[in-house]
């Protein structure tokens, strides 16, 4: 079976960043590569920020990890992934948890990305894996942590 | 009340909620429970009567005040299967 993460994650959409002054800026930084790559429209960024302002940061799914996403109709063009590792943790809520790994998901409907979500859920269920991603030395290393170990 | 339908919800209905749905499917299999319909949706679909049990992350708890406690599971860590298993088992044991 094909590796869903590898097919959805472009190397250009993986990066390491020092830190952001606010969570909104962190969202912009993390999602911009997908905008540049034509995976999402620019308004997808605002969609994520608006959703978080309305409902809270529901996409912080465990300590150190945010799965940034908005609705398909909020500007998703293709089903794609992006990864941004922040050296300085981002606080989506003042009380935390701090988040160093920001994974952006663009999905064009509610079900086409089920296989990749299954792989990500397995990855993110392992705190050691998240720590390895957060402390990777280079963006190449981050990329390979996602695509090489994923269970096909 | 018999649990025949479970709805997991998040702010956009396709990320966190889908992950929870997959974990619920796995946990129900482990618990030997079958015949339960599990679906994922947005938090605005969480309404009394839409399902027998609702599963959400803690961040969204304030949006489900209309649902009685016995019909909702609130997760601290969305990807923690052990937490999910414990809380789901409680609900199924009580039904």
């Amino acid at each position: 079976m094909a590796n869903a993460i590898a097919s959805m994650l472009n190397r250009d959409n993986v990066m390491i960043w020092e830190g952001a002054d606010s969570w909104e800026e962190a969202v912009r930084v993390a999602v911009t590569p997908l905008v540049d790559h034509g995976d999402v429209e620019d308004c997808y960024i605002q969609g994520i920020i608006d959703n978080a302002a309305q409902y809270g940061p529901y996409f912080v799914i465990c300590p150190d990890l945010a799965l940034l996403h908005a609705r398909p109709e909020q500007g998703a063009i293709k089903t794609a992934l992006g990864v941004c590792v922040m050296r300085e943790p981002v606080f989506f809520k003042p009380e935390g948890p701090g988040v160093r790994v920001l994974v952006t998901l663009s999905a064009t409907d509610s079900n086409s990305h089920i296989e990749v979500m299954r792989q990500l859920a397995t990855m993110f269920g392992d705190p050691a894996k998240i720590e390895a991603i957060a402390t990777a030395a280079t963006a190449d290393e981050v990329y390979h942590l996602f695509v090489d170990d994923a269970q096909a | 009340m018999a649990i025949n339908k479970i709805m997991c919800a998040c702010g956009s209905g396709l990320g966190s909620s889908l992950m929870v749905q997959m974990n619920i499917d796995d946990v129900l299999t482990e618990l030997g429970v079958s015949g339960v319909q599990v679906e994922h949706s947005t938090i605005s679909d969480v309404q009394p009567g839409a399902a027998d049990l609702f599963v959400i992350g803690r961040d969204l708890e304030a949006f489900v005040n209309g649902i009685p406690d016995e019909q909702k599971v609130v997760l601290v860590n969305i990807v923690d299967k052990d937490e999910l298993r414990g809380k789901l088992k409680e609900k199924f044991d009580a039904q």
Side-chain angles (χ1 to χ4, degrees), chain A residues 51 54-55 57-59 61-63 67 69-72 93 105 107 109-111 113-114 117-118 120-121 124, chain B residues 10-19 21-23 25-26 40 42-44 58-60 63 76-79:
Chain A
N51 291 0
Q54 185 178 359
Y55 295 118
Y58 57 85
F59 43 68
I61 56 176
C62 55
L67 182 70
H69 61 282
R71 298 277 316 151
K93 289 185 294 187
L105 167 73
D109 60 57
S110 291
N111 293 303
H113 56 299
I114 284 181
M117 294 297 282
R118 196 177 294 283
L120 289 175
F124 300 157
Chain B
C10 71
S12 58
L14 49 76
S16 332
S17 55
L18 177 54
M19 277 198 181
Q21 179 186 341
M22 293 186 299
N23 282 345
D25 285 336
D26 292 347
H40 63 282
T42 59
I43 191 74
S44 54
R58 191 176 45 177
D59 286 327
L60 294 173
F63 294 91
V76 175
N77 181 334
I78 284 174
V79 293

Side-chain angles (χ1 to χ4, degrees), chain A residues 57-63 65 93 96-97, chain B residues 20 55-61 73-84 87:
Chain A
Y58 57 85
F59 43 68
V60 178
I61 56 176
C62 55
L65 195 124
K93 289 185 294 187
Chain B
V20 175
V55 183
I56 53 154
R58 191 176 45 177
D59 286 327
L60 294 173
E61 194 172 5
V73 166
V74 179
L75 299 173
V76 175
N77 181 334
I78 284 174
V79 293
D80 184 345
K81 247 191 208 177
D82 293 332
E83 181 189 355
L84 179 67
K87 290 181 175 175

Side-chain angles (χ1 to χ4, degrees), chain B residues 1-7 46-56 64 66-74 88 91 94:
Chain B
M1 179 173 165
I3 301 170
N4 294 314
K5 182 175 173 187
I6 301 176
M7 180 186 285
V46 175
Q47 301 293 341
D52 305 312
L53 184 68
F54 299 91
V55 183
I56 53 154
V64 295
I67 306 294
D69 285 347
E70 61 270 22
Q71 274 188 273
K72 63 189 171 195
V73 166
V74 179
L88 271 186
K91 298 295 185 198

Side-chain angles (χ1 to χ4, degrees), chain A residues 85-143:
Chain A
V85 172
M86 289 281 181
R87 292 302 186 205
E88 290 290 324
V90 180
F91 286 84
F92 289 89
K93 289 185 294 187
E95 68 272 29
V99 172
R100 287 177 295 172
V101 181
L102 286 79
V103 177
T104 304
L105 167 73
S106 163
T108 50
D109 60 57
S110 291
N111 293 303
S112 62
H113 56 299
I114 284 181
E115 199 46 47
V116 78
M117 294 297 282
R118 196 177 294 283
Q119 290 181 9
L120 289 175
T122 304
M123 274 182 79
F124 300 157
D126 177 4
K129 181 85 182 186
I130 297 175
E131 183 64 24
I133 294 165
T135 55
T138 64
D140 272 331
E141 202 179 308
V142 174
Y143 175 74

Side-chain angles (χ1 to χ4, degrees), chain A residues 15-64:
Chain A
M15 65 176 174
I16 295 179
W17 202 260
E18 275 311 307
D21 291 335
S22 65
W23 67 264
E24 292 93 335
E25 186 194 327
V27 171
R28 282 193 197 96
V29 167
V31 182
T32 293
L34 282 85
V35 176
D36 294 343
H37 204 250
D39 298 318
V40 298
E41 291 173 46
D42 193 52
C43 62
Y44 199 68
I45 296 174
Q46 198 57 46
I48 293 170
I49 293 173
D50 289 348
N51 291 0
Q54 185 178 359
Y55 295 118
Y58 57 85
F59 43 68
V60 178
I61 56 176
C62 55
D64 246 343

